[in-house]
């Protein structure tokens, strides 16, 4: 297996993990990683559900959106991935999903409270939010605006749309999306029960962020569950 074969398999596995974690929206949502030769991104192809994706459904898309390798169609929202990776040299992988609890939580307008381990990965400060549009990200300009909203953070809520998460590798980006959806689920449960009354202080949250969760251990577990 070449390095690219490994990356395509990782992107595909990341898609299947997100599918198992209920982040699929029929055939929409995508995972990508940076091409090691700088040609663009290896990205899940359009028209497949997360649970169906194999390495053959991961295609090479140029920085301008041209399909360079693979015989599958590309998603129209590729600028989410290309522009975030252009803006962030440390982002080796990007995830975009229509994660249902995150979408519902974003619509409350409430601050995300670090009431569980998951939440400390995103707060403080409050989770980043992209509010310019809830419509699709179809242009490089909108992709750049989304990247500006993410800034130096690991994720953002795309209000009225979904989430975006990034990381140095596919494992981290995928697990960041999984952790964000769980953090929003806990917040929604607390809001439904009258609203959260306590949560970690900023100091405790920042300390927990450094050592509570390893994305790799959780990724390995979720990967084992799929086989
Ligand atoms: Zn979308």
């Amino acid at each position: 297996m070449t390095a690219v074969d490994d990356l395509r398999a990782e992107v595909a596995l990341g898609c299947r993990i997100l599918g198992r974690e209920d982040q699929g929206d029929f055939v929409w949502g995508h995972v990508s990683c940076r091409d090691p030769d700088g040609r663009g991104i290896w990205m899940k192809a359009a028209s497949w559900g997360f649970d169906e994706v194999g390495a053959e459904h991961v295609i090479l898309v140029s920085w301008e959106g041209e399909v360079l390798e693979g015989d599958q169609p590309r998603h129209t929202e590729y600028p989410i991935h290309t522009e975030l990776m252009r803006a962030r040299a440390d982002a080796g992988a990007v995830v975009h999903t229509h994660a249902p609890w995150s979408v519902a939580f974003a619509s409350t307008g409430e601050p995300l409270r670090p009431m569980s381990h998951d939440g400390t990965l995103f707060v403080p400060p409050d989770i980043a939010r992209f509010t310019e549009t809830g419509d699709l990200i179809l242009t490089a300009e909108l992709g750049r605006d989304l990247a500006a909203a993410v800034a130096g953070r690991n994720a953002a809520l795309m209000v009225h749309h979904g989430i975006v998460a990034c990381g140095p590798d596919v494992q981290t980006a995928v697990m960041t999306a999984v952790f964000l959806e769980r953090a929003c689920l806990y917040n929604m449960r607390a809001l439904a029960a009258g609203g959260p009354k306590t949560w970690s202080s900023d100091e405790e949250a920042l300390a927990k962020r450094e050592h509570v969760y390893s994305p790799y251990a959780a990724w390995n577990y979720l990967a084992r569950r799929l086989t």
Side-chain angles (χ1 to χ4, degrees):
M1 292 252 289
T2 67
V4 161
D5 289 339
D6 287 342
L7 287 174
R8 292 176 85 175
E10 274 178 13
V11 168
L13 177 55
C15 289
R16 296 197 300 277
I17 286 174
L18 289 165
R20 176 73 181 255
E21 292 296 300
D22 292 327
Q23 290 206 27
D25 182 14
F26 304 101
V27 297
W28 295 286
H30 8 93
V31 178
S32 72
C33 70
R34 208 180 272 275
D35 176 60
D37 295 324
R39 294 172 293 176
I41 59 172
W42 289 95
M43 181 178 179
K44 170 197 172 293
S47 73
W48 300 95
F50 274 150
D51 55 312
E52 301 179 294
V53 174
E56 69 275 23
H57 304 119
V58 179
I59 60 177
L60 179 60
V61 178
S62 78
W63 297 106
E64 283 70 46
E66 189 185 347
V67 178
L68 301 177
E69 275 190 43
D71 55 2
Q72 302 277 328
R74 70 151 166 73
H75 282 282
T76 55
E77 288 194 299
Y78 76 87
I80 293 173
H81 303 256
T82 49
E83 297 308 318
L84 186 48
M85 287 196 216
R86 273 176 156 151
R88 287 275 299 274
D90 62 324
V94 172
V95 170
H96 167 60
T97 76
H98 303 161
W101 287 107
S102 300
V103 170
F105 172 75
S107 80
T108 70
E110 293 288 331
L112 187 74
R113 301 300 191 186
M115 64 184 67
S116 63
H117 292 336
D118 313 67
T120 66
L121 296 172
F122 309 100
V123 181
D126 192 16
I127 179 76
R129 296 168 204 248
F130 175 72
T131 58
E132 180 179 334
T133 179
D135 206 340
L136 301 179
I137 305 300
L138 300 178
T139 65
E141 185 181 8
L142 276 174
R144 283 193 291 273
D145 291 349
L146 174 62
V150 176
R153 313 282 295 273
N154 58 352
L157 299 175
M158 298 166 67
V159 179
H160 309 159
H161 183 163
I163 63 172
V164 62
C166 63
D169 49 37
V170 173
Q171 291 91 334
T172 305
V174 167
M175 290 313 304
T176 299
V178 171
F179 292 139
L180 177 57
E181 175 70 345
R182 283 162 44 102
C184 289
L185 170 61
Y186 287 128
N187 273 256
M188 288 296 284
R189 284 174 171 163
L191 287 167
K197 303 295 189 292
T198 67
W199 49 85
S200 287
S201 66
D202 286 1
E203 185 183 20
E204 181 176 87
L206 290 170
K208 288 173 69 171
R209 184 181 299 174
E210 294 305 313
H211 68 92
V212 170
Y213 275 148
S214 155
Y216 306 104
W219 163 282
N220 289 339
Y221 167 66
L222 292 177
R224 289 197 302 274
R225 275 210 320 191
L226 285 171
T227 55

